[in-house]
Amino acid sequence: MDRPYLELCDLAVGYGGRALLSHISFSLDKGGITTLTGPNGAGKSTILKTVTRRIPAVSGEIRLDGTELRAIAPRALASKMAVVLTDRARPELMTCFDVAAAGRYPYTGSFGLLTRRDREIVNDALAQVNAADISLQDFSSVSDGQRQCVLLARAIAQEPEIIVLDEPTSFLDIRHKIELLEILRRMAKERGVTILMSLHEIDLASKVSDRIVCVGAGGISAWGEPREVFSDESVRRLYGLERGFYNAALGSVELARPQGVPRVFVVGGGGYGIPYYRQLQKAGIPFYAGILPENDIDLAVAAPLAAAVVRCGAFQPAAQGEIDAARELIDTCDTVIDSGCPAGASNGAGELLSYARLRGKQILSGPEGLKEAVL
C-alpha cells in the first residue's frame, strides 16, 4: 500500500513553545482533498501555519512524501507546496499578474526573470480562476474576492504537489465559491495535487472533501470521510449548538424550532411540505407535520422544526395507528395546511384532509394560504 503523501504524527501546535492543540495525527493521500472544520479559535489556522512552516511545531513530526518537513530546504519546499493563507496581502505597486507571477519564484534564477514559458503558465493560472481580465490591474485596487482568486492563481502557477489554503472562500460570493472549489477538485482529480484547507461552510466541506478533520477546543475530535464524520449530533457537539440544528441529510443548517402550543398541522410529503415548514418556523409559529415516511425528504426538515411528526415506515402505507395519531393532532389544531403533496396510501394525505374538513378545520393551500397562515 502506498504511503500517505502528508503525515501529521502526534503533532502539538501553538505559539512561543506553548501547545494549544496536542496529539494531532492524520494523513493525506496524494490527489485527495482534506478539509479542517470547527469553530473560530479552535486552532485550524495554527495547524495550517505549522504545516506550512510559518510557525514551528511544539513537538511531533510532519512528513511530506516520506521526508521530515524540517529537513526540506526552503526552495525545494516551495517547488512542492503552495500556500494561500488568510493574511490580507496588499503588495504595493504590483499588478495582479505580478502577484500571480510570484508563484514562479522556485523556478526562476537568482535574478527572478520570467521566461516566455513562465508567463504562459501565469496567464493560464489567471485564466483558470477567471482573473485574466484583471491581470493588468493594480492588485490593491481589486475586490477581496478577486484578490483571493489571484492568490489562488499564484498557487496554481507554482505547479505544486500540495496546496494549503486557509478559508479560501471567505471573501467570495456563492458563484465564485463554487468555481474555486471546482478548480481545486479538478486539480486534485486530474493533476493529482493534494489539497489541505480549512472551511467554515460545512455544507461545502462535505460536498468537496475526501476527508474531514474536525478541530474542536479539545483537539481533533474526528477524522474521516464526510459521511462518517458529519451527523446532526457530531456537528452539534463540535460547534456547541444550543439552538438550531445541522441537517446532515441535506447538508444545511436549520434554525431553532418555534416554541409554544401548535395550532397548525401540515399535511406534507415528497418535498412539498418543506417551504411550509420553513415559513412557519420563520414566522415563529409552532406546528405538527405528517404522515411522513422514514425515507421522505420532508422528514429531514420537519423532524428538527415541527413540535411533533407522525411517521410511517419507508415504502409502506400508513397504518391505522399512524392515521389515528395524526387525527388526534389535527383535533388540537385550528388550521390544516395542504402542501399539495399528491394523496396516496403511504402518507394518508387524502384521508387526513377529508377528516380535517369533516371536523370543520380551516384548510389552507398554496402561497396565498401560507401567507394567511402566518399573518
Side-chain angles (χ1 to χ4, degrees), residues 129-336:
V129 299
N130 299 310
D133 58 331
I134 61 170
S135 63
L136 299 181
Q137 292 187 34
D138 191 315
F139 182 77
S140 62
S141 70
V142 300
S143 70
D144 284 338
Q146 289 172 318
R147 288 193 193 101
Q148 195 77 339
C149 289
V150 172
L151 293 175
L152 178 58
R154 181 183 67 183
I156 294 172
Q158 203 168 323
E159 296 184 311
E161 295 178 7
I162 179 171
I163 300 179
V164 180
L165 310 99
D166 191 8
E167 299 293 346
T169 60
S170 292
F171 310 118
L172 305 181
D173 59 34
I174 187 61
R175 170 194 162 189
H176 291 98
K177 286 179 194 284
I178 293 171
E179 289 179 352
L180 182 146
L181 294 177
E182 285 180 343
I183 291 168
L184 295 178
R185 193 73 185 167
R186 187 166 61 248
M187 293 184 70
K189 298 309 168 187
E190 296 179 4
R191 303 185 187 181
V193 177
T194 304
I195 307 294
L196 174 62
M197 64 179 170
S198 62
L199 285 179
H200 274 306
E201 302 98 329
I202 56 178
D203 56 330
L204 295 179
S206 67
K207 293 175 176 65
V208 76
S209 308
D210 298 301
R211 294 287 187 274
I212 296 289
V213 179
C214 294
V215 185
I220 303 299
S221 62
W223 169 54
E225 296 181 18
R227 61 182 176 82
E228 300 170 335
V229 170
F230 285 146
S231 67
D232 300 4
E233 180 59 22
S234 67
V235 172
R236 186 192 67 79
R237 290 197 308 268
L238 178 63
Y239 287 92
L241 293 178
E242 296 181 358
R243 292 180 59 79
F245 304 84
Y246 174 73
N247 191 323
L250 300 181
S252 62
V253 174
E254 304 295 346
L255 300 182
R257 175 185 293 123
Q259 299 300 304
V261 178
R263 309 300 296 176
V264 176
F265 187 102
V266 182
V267 178
Y272 287 82
I274 290 176
Y276 295 89
Y277 308 146
R278 289 192 168 140
Q279 191 64 29
L280 290 166
Q281 187 280 335
K282 191 184 300 183
I285 298 174
F287 63 93
Y288 298 123
I291 300 172
L292 301 179
E294 291 291 347
N295 62 332
D296 197 301
I297 190 173
D298 260 22
L299 187 59
V301 179
L305 296 186
V309 180
V310 180
R311 312 178 186 212
C312 66
F315 306 110
Q316 297 178 19
Q320 189 59 49
E322 293 154 351
I323 293 173
D324 290 342
R327 286 174 171 177
E328 289 179 9
L329 293 179
I330 288 174
D331 285 339
T332 69
C333 294
D334 303 318
T335 300
V336 172

Side-chain angles (χ1 to χ4, degrees), residues 66-149:
T67 302
E68 218 290 316
L69 196 67
R70 287 172 291 194
I72 303 176
R75 185 176 285 271
L77 182 61
S79 68
K80 289 179 174 290
M81 180 185 292
V83 182
V84 182
L85 297 180
T86 52
D87 300 334
R88 304 287 283 277
R90 295 184 183 276
E92 298 292 333
L93 303 177
M94 291 182 70
T95 65
C96 294
F97 179 90
D98 295 333
V99 172
R104 298 305 298 164
Y105 158 75
Y107 310 101
T108 58
S110 302
F111 297 103
L113 299 178
L114 297 175
T115 65
R116 177 180 297 178
R117 177 58 180 157
D118 289 326
R119 292 183 175 277
E120 290 175 353
I121 291 171
V122 174
N123 284 323
D124 180 64
L126 287 166
Q128 286 187 52
V129 299
N130 299 310
D133 58 331
I134 61 170
S135 63
L136 299 181
Q137 292 187 34
D138 191 315
F139 182 77
S140 62
S141 70
V142 300
S143 70
D144 284 338
Q146 289 172 318
R147 288 193 193 101
Q148 195 77 339
C149 289

